[in-house]
Amino acid sequence: MNYCTATLRPTTLDDLAFVLEAEAVVHAAGWVQLWTRDRHQQALSHPDERHWIVMDAVTQVRVGYVIVLGVQDPGQSLLIKRIVMSQAGKGYGRLTLAQVLEKAFMELGAHRVWLDVMEDNQRARSLYRRLGFVEEGCLRESAKTPAGYKSQYVMSMLRSEYL
């Protein structure tokens, strides 16, 4: 088993080429919808959004990124809009998600953290379940991908479940 360590830091303009490249790979696999460079740049300073780079804590190499929306939501419901790892299968996703949940519930005061995941992304769905996310329902054919329309599952975790 590979052991890794990861840290989150705010994304900078210098990171956007990496973000766009990583996003293009997972978009081609049908996992996420593309954002433009301008949309990513907007997220860097938007008060309701957080855009973080995932760094390998030892090598200081970028291994992914995360976008969270709804920081100012009056209902305290945060959306993990995107979690993209450029190096799959090494444990970075699990570590990153654990850190995002810690930030969401303990720093940002979230009551609920939710996400949607493509129906055929079994690796991600399994990880989310193992970490305590509950499947709430299916958004039928809600995402247009290069391969056609796909359904997405909505999954969430409540603060009480996290604690």
Side-chain angles (χ1 to χ4, degrees), residues 67-70 73 76-82 97 100-101 104-105 110-117 128 133-134 136 139 152-158:
I67 302 169
V68 176
L69 308 180
D73 179 81
Q76 298 171 290
S77 185
L78 271 68
L79 166 62
I80 300 174
K81 177 65 177 172
R82 186 121 344 128
L97 194 52
V100 169
L101 291 170
F105 289 118
H111 167 72
R112 177 178 179 265
V113 173
W114 69 282
L115 52 80
D116 52 56
V117 58
Y128 301 148
F133 279 82
V134 174
E136 295 182 340
L139 302 170
Q152 297 172 290
Y153 284 93
V154 174
M155 302 179 80
S156 72
M157 181 185 296
L158 302 176

Side-chain angles (χ1 to χ4, degrees), residues 140-157:
R140 299 180 320 132
E141 295 188 5
S142 57
K144 187 175 182 181
T145 72
Y149 287 95
K150 289 186 180 180
S151 297
Q152 297 172 290
Y153 284 93
V154 174
M155 302 179 80
S156 72
M157 181 185 296

Side-chain angles (χ1 to χ4, degrees), residues 15 36 39 41 49 60 66 89 102 111 149 152:
D15 295 315
T36 64
R39 180 61 183 96
Q41 187 171 338
E49 302 177 3
Q60 291 300 297
V66 180
E102 175 78 14
H111 167 72
Y149 287 95
Q152 297 172 290

Side-chain angles (χ1 to χ4, degrees), residues 11 19 52 57 64 70-71 76 110 115 157:
T11 304
V19 166
W52 295 306
V71 172
Q76 298 171 290
L115 52 80
M157 181 185 296

